[in-house]
């Protein structure tokens, strides 16, 4: 991104203070979201989300694996984000690793819950096949193709839509004669079970610029932020995870205020995502 | 395995031996980049983004009389059938980055932009054989979109030889069959080859046929890219209100 002059910085901050941002939005408005599903045919589920000029692709692959010894009745999910150098030249080589790790961990925190698997947005116990022996390993891979701010929200939306598009193949299990035998699993090519995504949360990032909060900041606005709070909210309005970024310290009342703004905005975001998923599925089926 | 049906002459995906896969190109897919393009050859889908000419990031590499062209090739985790663990930095990616850079450097008029840097980033979204060629084609379109002066369009296509038949534009299954795979990069109007790679072995006379087939493929791609760029220019012109 080209550097901003002090006049431009002043314009951005002034616009936000007067509830009229550079692209005409109000402080709590999202950019138009466009969603495509099923764009990666060889994956179990995939989605591409465009939030203004931010463009991310999420793909979900399910492979057979062995469950964790501490949680034998749960499957495993791993989230991996890759920032493509097409988004910005600074992501060349290993330049994008820091941002990729930050985004991966933030998404894991918001979607996968605690170490025991409690409170996860994705129901891990639906991924077991044979308790203690075989489970589904879900690999969620996200790619940032183009970046214009608000990557976390776009990624969480893409993952949610990709999960709604994901079909886990039906398996028939042959347990074998003794309990120590490795069971034989026959993975069906034809039948798929749709993943239940009603509990999957979305992430809303609230960015503080000056004395006001904006939602869905562009990268120009993010360059002027003092701090940002990303809260993951589920359909019932419960907070599933939280991350604060930025160097400035925040008063605790301000943080609580930002969280309540995130909750309020998440309702609108849920309805937009639901209608987009329905439209995409209708387009895919027709 | 029967790559070419002896009765009908069709390949595994229903194409004839001298038929290319369906190609599709689109300009301006990455808003932040100076130039960008998406190119599909069958199921192979790649995005190229060009940043430049801009100031050289590493002053020690600066060239006083021409532009520095750099290229990076990376594959997405989900691009291949089995999930890949390392998206970039492995030897194949490094080699392909070098190959793309050299092919395009032959065409970019670098002497017009001394002491600057042109970055070409190619991202493979879906790999089904011929990723090298798709990347070069996408990069050419992205350079054109960025307005970087070039002496000609660089296009690329691959060809192989299976079941005693030269085959144009191999997909992944045909490529992994173990037969020869000839990749050609061509300066289309000037009819000059900038890239030629082959693996496995071929007798000389058959090699000439296969290479000629690949060159025909390159020319067909160049024709298509030319049309897409022309259409894009017309749209820009109409937006200017002329």
């Amino acid at each position: 991104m080209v550097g901003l002059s002090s006049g431009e910085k002043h314009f951005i901050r002034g616009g936000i203070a007067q509830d009229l941002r550079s692209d005409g939005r109000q402080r709590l408005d999202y950019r138009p979201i466009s969603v495509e599903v099923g764009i990666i045919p060889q994956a179990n589920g995939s989605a591409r989300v465009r939030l203004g000029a931010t463009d991310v692709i999420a793909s979900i692959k399910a492979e057979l694996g062995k469950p964790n010894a501490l949680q034998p009745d749960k499957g495993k999910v791993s989230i991996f984000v890759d920032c493509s150098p097409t988004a910005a030249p600074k992501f060349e080589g290993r330049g994008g690793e820091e941002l990729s790790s930050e985004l991966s961990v933030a998404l894991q925190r918001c979607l996968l819950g605690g170490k025991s698997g409690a409170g996860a947005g994705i129901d891990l116990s639906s991924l077991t096949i044979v308790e203690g022996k075989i489970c589904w390993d879900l690999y969620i891979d996200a790619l940032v193709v183009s970046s214009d701010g608000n990557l976390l929200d776009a990624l969480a939306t893409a993952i949610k839509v990709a999960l709604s598009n994901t079909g886990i193949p039906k398996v028939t299990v042959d347990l074998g004669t003794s309990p120590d035998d490795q069971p034989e699993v026959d993975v069906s090519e034809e039948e798929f079970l749709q993943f239940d995504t009603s509990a999957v949360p979305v992430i809303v990032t609230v960015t503080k610029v000056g004395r006001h909060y904006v939602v869905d900041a562009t990268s120009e606005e993010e360059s002027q932020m003092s701090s940002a709070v990303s809260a993951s909210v589920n359909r019932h309005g419960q907070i599933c995870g939280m991350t604060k970024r930025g160097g400035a310290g925040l008063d605790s009342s301000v943080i609580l205020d930002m969280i309540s703004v995130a909750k309020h905005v998440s309702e609108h975001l849920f309805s937009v995502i639901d209608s987009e998923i329905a439209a995409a599925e209708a387009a895919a089926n027709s | 395995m029967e790559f070419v049906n002896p009765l009908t002459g069709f390949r595994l995906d229903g194409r004839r031996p001298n038929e290319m896969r369906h190609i599709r190109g689109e300009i301006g897919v990455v808003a932040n980049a100076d130039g960008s393009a998406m190119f599909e050859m069958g199921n192979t889908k790649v995005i190229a983004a060009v940043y430049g000419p801009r100031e050289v990031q590493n002053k020690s590499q600066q060239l006083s009389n021409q532009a520095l062209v750099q290229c990076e090739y990376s594959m997405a985790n989900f691009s291949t059938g089995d999930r890949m663990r390392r998206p970039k930095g492995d030897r194949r990616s490094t080699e392909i980055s070098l190959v793309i850079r050299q092919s395009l450097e032959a065409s970019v008029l670098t002497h017009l932009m001394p002491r600057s840097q042109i970055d070409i980033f190619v991202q493979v979204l879906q790999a089904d054989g011929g990723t090298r060629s798709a990347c070069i084609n996408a990069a050419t379109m992205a350079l054109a979109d960025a307005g970087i002066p070039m002496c000609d369009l660089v296009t690329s296509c691959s060809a192989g030889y299976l079941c005693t038949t030269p085959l144009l534009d191999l997909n992944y299954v045909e490529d992994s069959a173990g037969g020869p795979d000839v990749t050609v990069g061509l300066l289309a109007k000037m009819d000059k080859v900038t890239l030629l790679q082959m693996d496995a072995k071929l007798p000389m006379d058959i090699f000439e046929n296969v290479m000629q087939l690949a060159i025909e493929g390159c020319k067909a791609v160049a024709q298509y890219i030319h049309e897409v760029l022309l259409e894009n220019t017309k749209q820009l012109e109409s937006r200017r209100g002329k």
Side-chain angles (χ1 to χ4, degrees), chain A:
Chain A
M1 195 190 68
V2 181
L4 294 173
S5 68
S6 56
E8 282 171 307
K9 292 179 191 170
H10 194 70
F11 187 77
I12 293 173
R13 279 192 235 127
I16 290 175
Q18 295 186 29
D19 205 16
L20 184 65
R21 293 152 79 173
S22 308
D23 50 7
R25 284 185 287 157
Q26 297 193 304
R27 284 196 286 261
L28 299 183
D29 283 347
Y30 263 87
R31 284 171 282 186
I33 303 179
S34 94
V35 163
E36 279 170 57
V37 286
I39 51 161
I40 311 280
Q42 67 255 32
N44 293 77
S46 57
R48 179 178 191 165
V49 166
R50 262 174 274 231
L51 199 56
T54 298
D55 192 352
V56 304
I57 297 178
S59 131
I60 314 236
K61 226 169 160 6
E63 285 172 15
L64 292 173
K66 202 165 175 320
N68 198 333
L70 298 168
Q71 283 139 34
D73 61 337
K74 293 194 159 69
K76 299 198 303 259
V77 177
S78 69
I79 303 185
F80 179 74
V81 177
D82 184 28
C83 294
S84 170
T86 54
K90 63 180 188 224
F91 295 150
E92 172 186 13
R94 304 187 65 163
E97 263 181 30
E98 204 182 296
L99 182 60
S100 303
S101 323
E102 190 191 323
L103 292 168
S104 305
V105 170
L107 286 167
Q108 276 170 357
R109 189 179 299 134
C110 291
L111 295 173
L112 296 182
K115 288 201 179 56
S116 64
I122 302 170
D123 184 16
L124 295 176
S125 33
S126 66
L127 294 174
T128 51
I129 301 174
V130 176
E131 200 173 302
K133 295 225 177 86
I134 306 185
C135 69
W136 283 115
D137 277 343
L138 220 56
Y139 291 104
I140 303 182
D141 292 310
L143 179 72
V144 175
V145 173
S146 168
S147 158
D148 191 23
N150 208 17
L151 286 174
L152 210 45
D153 293 19
L155 286 166
T157 307
I159 291 177
K160 185 173 164 67
V161 177
L163 282 171
S164 75
N165 176 242
T166 301
I168 308 279
K170 274 212 176 104
V171 285
T172 40
V173 185
D174 177 20
L175 279 170
T177 43
S178 87
D180 292 330
D181 271 355
Q182 190 63 11
E184 288 186 16
V185 183
D186 179 35
V187 179
S188 159
E189 301 275 315
E190 309 291 321
E191 293 164 19
F192 290 91
L193 298 165
Q194 284 304 114
F195 212 79
D196 175 27
T197 59
S198 50
V200 178
V202 292
I203 299 184
V204 177
T205 303
V206 181
T207 311
K208 187 162 187 290
V209 178
R211 290 202 337 236
H212 302 270
Y213 317 131
V214 288
V215 155
D216 192 17
T218 62
S219 45
E220 280 183 350
E221 291 166 342
E222 275 181 355
S223 69
Q224 297 309 301
M225 76 173 189
S226 53
S227 48
V229 170
S230 301
S232 147
V233 189
N234 72 8
R235 220 172 270 276
H236 309 290
Q238 296 167 321
I239 308 289
C240 304
M242 217 186 77
T243 311
K244 177 208 170 281
R245 291 189 336 264
L250 288 178
D251 206 41
S252 50
S253 59
V254 170
I255 293 190
L256 291 172
D257 199 21
M258 285 166 96
I259 295 177
S260 70
V261 166
K263 245 177 71 174
H264 171 74
V265 172
S266 69
E267 290 160 16
H268 168 74
L269 187 57
F270 266 114
S271 63
V272 168
I273 293 178
D274 286 340
S275 62
E276 284 290 332
I277 293 178
E281 268 170 19
N285 286 340
S286 64

Side-chain angles (χ1 to χ4, degrees), chain B residues 51-59 61-70 105 108-119 148-149:
Chain B
Y51 288 89
R54 60 194 192 121
E55 198 180 327
V56 179
Q57 304 297 296
N58 189 353
K59 284 284 186 315
Q61 290 177 331
Q62 193 177 34
L63 299 166
S64 59
N65 61 342
Q66 59 180 19
L68 186 67
V69 177
Q70 292 193 318
E105 227 174 351
V108 173
L109 300 174
T110 49
H111 62 273
L112 292 178
M113 299 162 286
R115 285 180 290 279
S116 68
Q117 176 177 330
I118 298 174
D119 286 319
I148 288 179

Side-chain angles (χ1 to χ4, degrees), chain B:
Chain B
M1 194 169 166
E2 238 179 45
F3 293 101
V4 180
N5 191 315
L7 294 169
T8 58
F10 286 142
R11 289 151 80 173
L12 290 171
D13 51 5
R15 284 186 283 155
R16 295 213 162 272
N18 62 348
E19 202 181 313
M20 278 187 70
R21 288 175 292 181
H22 179 71
I23 48 178
R24 195 172 89 88
E26 205 185 309
I27 293 189
V29 292
V30 176
N32 284 346
D34 293 321
S36 60
M38 193 268 303
F39 201 81
E40 284 180 40
M41 287 172 93
N43 284 335
T44 298
K45 193 164 165 181
V46 312
I47 288 187
V50 168
Y51 288 89
R54 60 194 192 121
E55 198 180 327
V56 179
Q57 304 297 296
N58 189 353
K59 284 284 186 315
S60 60
Q61 290 177 331
Q62 193 177 34
L63 299 166
S64 59
N65 61 342
Q66 59 180 19
L68 186 67
V69 177
Q70 292 193 318
C71 177
E72 187 177 295
Y73 166 96
S74 43
M75 298 182 79
N77 266 339
F78 44 78
S79 57
T80 53
D82 299 321
R83 188 178 167 265
M84 278 184 70
R85 278 269 48 193
R86 275 183 64 101
K88 49 182 142 173
D90 59 310
R91 286 166 44 147
R92 181 176 171 273
S93 302
T94 316
E95 192 246 334
I96 297 185
S97 308
L98 182 71
V99 155
I100 298 177
R101 179 168 70 76
Q102 287 179 340
S103 319
L104 293 166
E105 227 174 351
S107 167
V108 173
L109 300 174
T110 49
H111 62 273
L112 292 178
M113 299 162 286
R115 285 180 290 279
S116 68
Q117 176 177 330
I118 298 174
D119 286 319
I120 306 168
F121 298 117
V122 195
Q123 176 76 45
V124 176
L125 298 178
Q126 262 175 254
D128 187 28
T131 50
R132 208 172 294 235
S133 302
C135 288
I136 292 178
N137 296 330
T140 295
M141 288 177 75
L143 284 168
D145 185 36
I148 288 179
M150 296 192 282
C151 64
D152 200 350
L153 294 176
V154 185
T155 55
S156 169
C157 193
S158 66
Y161 187 75
L162 288 170
C163 301
T164 68
T165 326
L167 301 174
L168 180 59
D169 196 12
L170 305 170
N171 60 22
Y172 182 71
V173 179
E174 291 167 341
D175 203 357
S176 352
D181 172 19
V182 178
T183 307
V184 173
L186 187 74
L187 288 174
K189 281 265 158 47
M190 294 165 59
D191 212 3
K192 289 203 163 118
V193 173
T194 68
L195 165 69
L196 182 58
Q197 284 186 324
M198 190 186 102
D199 53 19
K201 57 182 189 226
L202 267 184
M204 268 304 296
D205 47 349
I206 299 182
F207 170 74
E208 279 185 37
N209 284 346
V210 174
M211 188 174 104
Q212 206 47 47
L213 188 59
I215 290 180
E216 294 300 313
C218 292
K219 291 195 176 148
V221 174
Q223 175 71 19
Y224 174 75
I225 291 183
H226 188 80
E227 280 166 19
V228 172
L229 292 174
L230 197 59
E231 183 61 42
N232 187 53
T233 309
K234 283 186 187 157
Q235 282 194 1
L236 290 173
E237 208 180 4
S238 73
R239 277 184 222 154
R240 274 184 64 185
K242 287 256 181 299

